[in-house]
Amino acid sequence: MAAVLLLGAAGSALALSFTDPGNPDTVAARIASAMTDDELLGQVFFLGWQGVGPSADILRWITTRHIGGVKIFPRNVSDLESLARDIARMQGLAMRGRFGIPLFVATDQEGGWVRQIKDETSVSPGNLALGASGVPADAYRTGYYLGRELAVLGINMDFAPTADVYSNPEASVIGPRSFGSDPSSTGLLSAAYARGMADAGVVSTAKHFPGHGSADQDSHGHLPRIDVSLDQLLGRDLIPYRILIREGIPAIMTGHLAFPRISGDLTPSSLSPFFLKHVLREELGFTGIVITDDMEMEGVLADGLDTPTACLRALQAGNDMVLVSHTPITQERTWIALAAALKSDPRLRASLRQSVTRIIATKIRALRPADPPSEAAHVPSAAATADPVDVKEAVPAPGAKEFFAQVSARAVTLLAGGGVPFRPGPGEKVLLVGQFPEFISEGLRRYPQAATLLFPFTPFYTSTPEDMAAVRSRAAAEDTVIFCLANFNSLDVLKELSYLGARVIVISALSPVYLSEVPWVKTAIAVYGDGKDSFRAGFGVLAGDFTATGVLPVNFSGPRAADPAPPARTAR
């Protein structure tokens, strides 16, 4: 491994290396002080690339610009064994740099609805299910099992947990990704999840600061405007961050969100020195690294900025790393713009040196092998070369399958029990209708004589006349319809069956907020996840195998817990 030689006070040669023993902050500061402008700049870049296998561009960025991190998307994965080899290759190239600094290798493996690395990885019921069961140990083990699977692949950072407080039923992009609408519970479960990740050898990144859970738009396509005061934000959305920071969360991701009542304008919080320096650093006392959400999202570009300018403003505002995930030419233009700014602005250089010190210190704490090596045997090293045989044996993580089945069962919530237990009578005709093949297959396990109808999950916000007509026609000939409600699309379809009344049974997947628009439903069960375990547990409650113990984790101040306030549809 390469090292830098500096001359000590007596003229002796002092080697500088990521693996040097000593206090992480001290080692990191020494390395950052010895870095050139280009080396400093490289560490603040977090990049994605197109295609399966590392692109020539990303390999060049790693070997010549010594970037700080890469992000893995589904588009980069053909199979897990190949992914592990690709990551080991990139990590090996990074550690040949003169300081031997490994890459952050990140993805979004939140569990539940957001699972970027698929194939044989575990399907968990998701955060809202953990909120329904309310067991911190379940959140810890979720983080641990998901983290173990990432670590064996060489992924050492997860952009999770989602610490957003689900305070607005219109926050469809967050929904089941949140632990619920109670800030304290969200913080406690987020912290337990993050601790599980850490014990698995993965750096967790809480998101989306200062809080996306009340936004009625998706920051991928719009700049959400959140109409709250600073006191409201401190008393709700920032409570999970207080808990996470107290528990030592190493990284936080900033969201592209506007708070006009607080800032007086539509500056995204990700570009706001007030939110990042005053609120996050000074008020909340965060000392870890701050990473932007993707800088090609419309939420940060809504005011006519281009990505290079937005990245410069993000670093000036207090972010330590900028995430540019998709477009090679945009990444290159961003490098050119930031390099030019660095040469002309000594204050930016000083700020970047502080950021890089934090980045390297975080890497040392999380990724530097412990001494002696035997103490770190359970945690993969940052540069460990993955063995395809090990990957096959370690994914899914041993014990994960049984655990996630148990969590799925604990989460099931009976919201309206007029038809529970449901046991079809002789000759009773049952129709299973839903958007998930797993719902259909688990329904057939329970009711093998049932007819089935599968329709598309997309588009998310509306259904097609053809799907609505098909379901209406098929349902008319059945005695009982068991319907899976999961988004606005399926809500439109379900409304077509209102004339059937009590003959319709609903199993709600993902967020249960859509039930507020169908008060005529007399039997409703929430499972929160969209995997086989969640649907199997839901059908188990429906059939009377066991009693649901989950508690609705959202409360939007509606007339009763089972009738959350109606969600509104906005163009996104």
Side-chain angles (χ1 to χ4, degrees), residues 498-515:
S498 61
Y499 71 96
L500 295 177
R503 292 165 55 191
V504 176
I505 294 169
V506 172
I507 293 182
S508 166
L510 304 178
S511 173
V513 300
Y514 309 104
L515 285 165

Side-chain angles (χ1 to χ4, degrees), residues 70 72 80 83-88 90-91 103-106 147-157 201-202 367 380-386 391:
V70 296
I72 309 296
L80 298 186
L83 175 62
R85 287 191 291 267
D86 292 339
I87 292 172
M90 290 186 290
Q91 201 64 274
L103 293 162
F104 280 133
V105 181
R148 291 299 297 144
E149 295 174 6
L150 295 179
V152 77
L153 298 172
I155 297 172
N156 55 36
M157 175 178 269
V202 174
L367 308 180
S381 128
T385 301
V391 171

Side-chain angles (χ1 to χ4, degrees), residues 397-487:
K401 181 176 177 59
E402 296 78 12
F403 167 70
F404 287 125
Q406 294 166 8
V407 174
S408 298
R410 282 193 283 274
V412 179
T413 307
L414 183 63
L415 301 180
V420 176
F422 172 65
R423 301 185 180 100
E428 183 173 351
K429 293 184 292 183
V430 176
L431 176 66
L432 301 167
V433 181
Q435 299 162 301
F436 304 104
E438 296 81 2
F439 170 80
I440 298 296
S441 63
E442 291 305 314
L444 288 173
R445 283 169 59 96
R446 177 62 60 177
Y447 305 109
Q449 304 305 317
T452 64
L453 179 57
L454 184 70
F455 65 98
F457 186 80
T458 56
F460 186 90
Y461 291 102
T462 186
S463 184
T464 66
E466 293 78 11
D467 287 336
M468 289 189 283
V471 173
R472 185 171 58 244
S473 174
R474 289 286 301 277
E478 308 295 333
D479 298 308
T480 300
V481 177
I482 305 177
F483 188 95
C484 182
L485 176 62
N487 62 0

Side-chain angles (χ1 to χ4, degrees), residues 286-558:
F286 181 59
T287 59
I289 58 174
V290 181
I291 306 169
T292 69
D293 207 341
D294 190 79
M295 297 299 288
E296 294 185 78
M297 291 166 59
E298 287 301 315
V300 76
L301 306 177
D303 196 30
L305 294 179
D306 59 12
T307 295
T309 304
C311 285
L312 176 58
R313 288 185 54 184
L315 294 172
Q316 292 170 332
N319 291 279
D320 297 308
M321 302 186 78
V322 289
L323 174 63
V324 188
S325 297
H326 305 294
T327 312
I329 188 62
T330 300
Q331 295 167 345
E332 186 66 24
R333 287 172 178 165
T334 301
W335 173 274
I336 293 170
L338 294 183
L342 189 56
K343 285 180 170 57
S344 63
D345 187 352
R347 292 176 300 177
L348 181 61
R349 181 180 296 106
S351 176
L352 255 60
R353 205 174 299 280
Q354 291 179 341
S355 289
V356 172
T357 298
R358 282 191 286 264
I359 293 165
I360 298 173
T362 301
K363 289 181 176 181
I364 290 173
R365 289 188 175 91
L367 308 180
R368 184 174 65 183
D371 186 24
S374 60
E375 293 180 5
H378 70 293
V379 177
S381 128
T385 301
D387 185 328
V389 175
D390 292 339
V391 171
K392 289 181 180 179
E393 292 178 352
V395 182
K401 181 176 177 59
E402 296 78 12
F403 167 70
F404 287 125
Q406 294 166 8
V407 174
S408 298
R410 282 193 283 274
V412 179
T413 307
L414 183 63
L415 301 180
V420 176
F422 172 65
R423 301 185 180 100
E428 183 173 351
K429 293 184 292 183
V430 176
L431 176 66
L432 301 167
V433 181
Q435 299 162 301
F436 304 104
E438 296 81 2
F439 170 80
I440 298 296
S441 63
E442 291 305 314
L444 288 173
R445 283 169 59 96
R446 177 62 60 177
Y447 305 109
Q449 304 305 317
T452 64
L453 179 57
L454 184 70
F455 65 98
F457 186 80
T458 56
F460 186 90
Y461 291 102
T462 186
S463 184
T464 66
E466 293 78 11
D467 287 336
M468 289 189 283
V471 173
R472 185 171 58 244
S473 174
R474 289 286 301 277
E478 308 295 333
D479 298 308
T480 300
V481 177
I482 305 177
F483 188 95
C484 182
L485 176 62
N487 62 0
F488 286 111
N489 180 331
S490 53
L491 176 62
D492 282 345
V493 175
L494 178 58
K495 287 179 176 179
E496 294 294 305
L497 305 182
S498 61
Y499 71 96
L500 295 177
R503 292 165 55 191
V504 176
I505 294 169
V506 172
I507 293 182
S508 166
L510 304 178
S511 173
V513 300
Y514 309 104
L515 285 165
S516 64
E517 293 201 33
V518 285
W520 50 268
V521 171
K522 303 305 179 187
T523 307
I525 296 168
V527 300
Y528 310 103
D530 59 1
K532 286 187 177 182
D533 288 337
S534 294
F535 292 126
R536 185 172 300 175
F539 278 110
V541 167
L542 178 60
D545 290 354
F546 65 98
T547 301
T549 58
V551 176
L552 190 68
V554 292
N555 181 359
F556 300 122
S557 302

